[in-house]
Amino acid sequence: MPELFSEILKKEEYSQSDLVVLLNAQGKDRTALFTHAAGIKKQFVGNKVYFRGLVELSNICSKNCLYCGIRAGNPKPDRYMVTEDEVLDAARFALENGYGSMVLQSGERCDDSFVATVTNLLQKIKELSNGKLGITLSMGEQTEKTYRDWFDNGAHRYLIRIETSDRELYYKIHPNNKKHDFDVRINALKMLRQIGYNVGSGVMIGLPFQTIEHLAGDLLFLKNLDVDMVGMGPFIEHEETPLYQYKDLLWLKKERFDMSLKMVAILRIMMKDINIAATTAMQAIDKQGREKALKVGANIIMPNLTPVKYREDYLLYEDKPCLDEDASECRNCLEARIHIAGDEIGFGEWGDSKHFVKRTSSSKVD
Ligand code: 5AD
Ligand code: SF4
Ligand code: FES
């Protein structure tokens, strides 16, 4: 007799085939999955949501990921770099509004001038906030030296999505060349961990050629890597990218959204004390996308602090929300949404993942 869904759901560890069953859940089973995940969230991370004020520092990128609207090969976006003053204004806003942390995200560049600009920004943000603001970086693959320099200058979390953990699929969504090397990306995650960062990763959900089995593999990958933080969300096609040609192969947007909710819920059950973001891409598909993600396990939100004039040029995908809303409008909007989801905001705290805190404090004892 096949195992009952409820028996699979209660297991301590999920196998690849268990995960496929969970990801396929419909109707009552789907509701049971979401209820279980909500219970685990409540028990292990509570109902506090942490804000990370996001500055999309620059859309200049040396890479050509086949899914991304700001890829080097797209001539359409005006390329920009937010000025130091603008970043510091955003830091001041974050501080004054009780956001515990900032995220600086950018297209991938490894030239000395860019690396030095980021180092300088880290120093200035730390100075301005008396070390109070936590800083997460999301700047892609860099050398070990750069990762160390940025860590030494105050960055303490780093996000680098693996995008898909399946090597073959990885090369279907990236150019097959040295600049887009799967092993280099995996190695970057390992270096970051060794240096001492809180390490975050994640995947896109509903990519062309992606199967439920791939997504089950992604969940196992994140678990095996023992990540501290995860940001994942639906793939959303962008007309000015090579993957757009496969738009007719894609799952419906609402199916991609629903699968993303299930991924969040299952990951929360598998990795009880990590930080999971309710991502902007989820809101791009469903107006209540982020609240729905919070309800099934997410506990992090990244309000956008990028000056409005640049936002049109940081369109990684279609229908990206908040193009015209400034930092205050996004703050008000998100506060309301978090309360609707029944959560509260952890003002003025870094909100590092409990997973990281536990892992690093136990390794000190060893
Ligand atoms: N759809 C969804 N997410 C995307 N990203 C880039 N392009 C898209 C897209 N078309 C995500 C990637 C990247 C992050 C910065 O944005 O996962 O890591
Ligand atoms: Fe550049 Fe990141 Fe877009 Fe890839 S996903 S093209 S690295 S900005
Ligand atoms: Fe920006 Fe809602 S989060 S307007």
Side-chain angles (χ1 to χ4, degrees), residues 157-224:
R157 308 188 190 107
Y158 204 104
L159 302 170
I160 180 160
R161 290 187 178 181
I162 193 66
E163 316 295 0
T164 171
S165 63
D166 184 85
R167 180 185 296 269
E168 244 174 76
L169 181 57
Y170 191 89
Y171 287 114
K172 287 189 179 146
I173 62 167
H174 295 97
N176 202 336
N177 63 28
K178 265 204 170 147
K179 236 191 164 348
H180 302 79
D181 186 312
F182 184 71
D183 296 307
V184 171
R185 204 155 180 87
I186 300 263
N187 198 40
L189 284 159
K190 294 192 175 144
M191 279 194 294
L192 290 162
R193 160 62 52 81
Q194 259 198 338
I195 293 168
Y197 283 96
N198 283 237
V199 179
S201 194
V203 296
M204 284 181 285
I205 297 154
L207 288 161
F209 316 112
Q210 194 178 39
T211 62
I212 306 252
E213 285 72 19
H214 286 136
L215 292 171
D218 289 340
L219 290 168
L220 291 172
F221 171 87
L222 294 168
K223 170 95 183 160
N224 287 337

Side-chain angles (χ1 to χ4, degrees), residues 283 290 311 321-322 325-326 329-331 333-334 337:
Q283 200 193 323
R290 291 198 264 194
R311 294 203 194 175
C322 314
E325 284 81 3
D326 67 13
E329 288 168 293
C330 286
R331 181 204 56 205
C333 165
L334 287 170
R337 287 168 187 274

Side-chain angles (χ1 to χ4, degrees), residues 65-70 105-106 138 159-163 185 202-205 207 231-238 241 243 256 281 314-318:
C65 307
L66 303 180
Y67 44 83
C68 177
I70 64 167
Q105 186 178 75
S106 154
S138 171
L159 302 170
I160 180 160
R161 290 187 178 181
I162 193 66
E163 316 295 0
R185 204 155 180 87
V203 296
M204 284 181 285
I205 297 154
L207 288 161
M232 57 187 175
F235 165 69
I236 304 172
E237 63 275 28
H238 187 300
T241 63
L243 284 194
R256 283 176 251 164
Y314 204 83
L315 294 185
L316 307 177
Y317 46 81
E318 287 174 356

